[in-house]
Amino acid sequence: MPSSQTAAPRHTLKVVTALRRFAISISVLNVFGYAVLGFEQPWTWPFIALATAYSLEIALEAISAHTDGRTPRFRGNGFKGLMEFLLPAHITGLAVNMLSYVNDVVSVMIFGVVVAVGAKWVFRAPVKGRMRHVMNPSNFGIAVILLLFPWASIAPPYQFTEYLDGGFDWLVPAIILSLGTMLNAKLTERMWLILAWVGGYALQAVVRGLLFGTSIPAALAMMTGVAFVLFTNYMITDPGTTPSSKWGQIAFGGGVATVYGVLTAMSIAYGLFFATALVCAIRGAFLWTADIVARRRAEEALALAAVEHAMNQDTPACDCPAGACACAAAAETRKVPVTA
């Protein structure tokens, strides 16, 4: 295979547009967050996260392109092509830094970004004939941080409205909700997933209240926070790691809500991130199982067709007119053995 072979486009035009708007939104939120809202992480960390995500994404793509004998996807379309290639890494890097809190240990944040970007090249499954990553990158990076470093936590929700008062603390979730809804309705087309997730979340809150005595109003009040709105519109709806079909989206969104309810009932903290990671893993296992079954059925069909073809080749052809029995072979097949 020649090394100059051009790779297939990484994303469709609609997906590129969605990624561009995701990237712009999270960039503006970071600038606004450090300048006005009160983000807790040092202001240099977003740049460190971006440098880590960019360099790792380019390095892994270069290795993959060399292995496959093709041109790297970040080449061939100038600076615009490079920027479009780095949009997912941009979103992942900023999201991991913005949504996790690791005190002043910057190496743990860098580790989370490396895990998030690297997961896209490790955890893959066949989707419509192509290998696609199945783990939500930034969610997976944060989940791994929370698992391996018990002293770490997610970013405190108050950092999004810490310096807003006089009713303006409702402005941030309102803006995120409005922009996120338009983005998901027009570009990612994940509204069924959002409806299933939000409806499932409300249902599990009521069920936990009835079964375990949890305060239902308090559980439902979580849905009004910035963290929940941000997670709903910009995390769980990742178009690269969620189903496209209506019922697939409903199953995914409802599945995350169900797993979250179970984890929360078991007193496991940070259930949003763990539930999403678990459902992504389940979806990946399902995709691999479906692909293996489809391949086996295709192999069995080919084997059966080969046997039938061989049998047809072994049977002498008969040129007699329809209804005639002049062929010896045809006559022989009609003989009934006589038993004593």
Side-chain angles (χ1 to χ4, degrees):
M1 183 179 296
S3 59
S4 60
Q5 180 180 353
T6 302
R10 193 182 191 191
H11 302 294
T12 63
L13 180 60
K14 179 177 285 189
V15 173
V16 170
T17 303
L19 288 172
R20 186 185 302 117
R21 294 186 182 180
F22 266 118
I24 292 173
S25 298
I26 197 170
S27 298
V28 171
L29 180 58
N30 269 264
V31 172
F32 195 63
Y34 281 98
V36 178
L37 300 180
F39 278 15
E40 296 287 336
Q41 302 88 346
W43 67 269
T44 56
W45 283 23
F47 299 100
I48 298 174
L50 289 177
T52 303
Y54 288 170
S55 57
L56 183 60
E57 185 84 351
I58 291 174
L60 292 175
E61 170 62 17
I63 294 172
S64 176
H66 178 74
T67 303
D68 297 339
R70 58 174 174 80
T71 302
R73 291 185 174 91
F74 54 82
R75 295 176 56 189
N77 196 21
F79 184 74
K80 178 182 178 183
L82 176 62
M83 290 298 98
E84 290 181 352
F85 171 81
L86 290 175
L87 286 175
H90 182 92
I91 297 169
T92 300
L94 289 182
V96 171
N97 175 67
M98 181 179 70
L99 297 176
S100 62
Y101 187 74
V102 293
N103 298 324
D104 59 347
V105 187
V106 68
S107 59
V108 175
M109 185 274 291
I110 294 174
F111 170 77
V113 174
V114 170
V115 169
V117 175
K120 296 192 299 182
W121 300 85
V122 176
F123 300 106
R124 295 189 168 196
V127 180
K128 297 180 180 179
R130 295 179 57 189
M131 295 299 293
R132 301 284 301 273
H133 65 282
V134 294
M135 298 300 294
N136 186 306
S138 52
N139 180 88
F140 185 71
I142 296 171
V144 171
I145 288 177
L146 296 174
L147 280 174
L148 298 183
F149 303 96
W151 49 267
S153 66
I154 61 171
Y158 64 77
Q159 77 171 15
F160 295 98
T161 56
E162 184 174 5
Y163 297 128
L164 298 178
D165 52 18
F168 287 102
D169 53 344
W170 285 90
L171 187 61
V172 174
I175 293 175
I176 295 174
L177 179 61
S178 300
L179 296 179
T181 301
M182 290 189 294
L183 178 64
N184 288 297
K186 294 183 178 180
L187 295 176
T188 68
E189 299 177 347
R190 293 298 188 273
M191 291 306 298
W192 285 111
L193 191 154
I194 290 177
L195 291 174
W197 154 245
V198 173
Y201 187 95
L203 180 61
Q204 64 82 31
V206 174
V207 170
R208 285 194 294 117
L210 295 176
L211 295 180
F212 305 107
T214 304
S215 172
I216 295 177
L220 293 175
M222 293 289 293
M223 301 172 67
T224 64
V226 177
F228 183 88
V229 175
L230 193 64
F231 182 89
T232 300
N233 286 276
Y234 291 96
M235 178 70 79
I236 196 176
T237 55
D238 175 28
T241 56
T242 55
S244 299
S245 65
K246 171 184 174 181
W247 291 109
Q249 292 184 40
I250 292 174
F252 189 94
V256 173
T258 301
V259 175
Y260 169 82
V262 172
L263 294 177
T264 304
M266 296 170 62
S267 300
I268 297 177
Y270 314 121
L272 288 180
F273 298 96
F274 294 140
T276 304
L278 286 172
V279 173
C280 284
I282 293 171
R283 176 174 177 260
F286 171 79
L287 291 172
W288 270 113
T289 302
D291 183 73
I292 292 173
V293 171
R295 288 176 181 271
R296 288 183 177 177
R297 288 178 177 176
E299 292 174 356
E300 292 174 356
L302 287 175
L304 180 60
V307 171
E308 292 178 349
H309 178 72
M311 294 178 63
N312 292 333
Q313 291 293 326
D314 293 339
T315 303
C318 183
D319 296 329
C320 298
C325 298
C327 292
E332 289 294 331
T333 59
R334 288 170 171 77
K335 288 183 179 179
V336 179
V338 179
T339 57

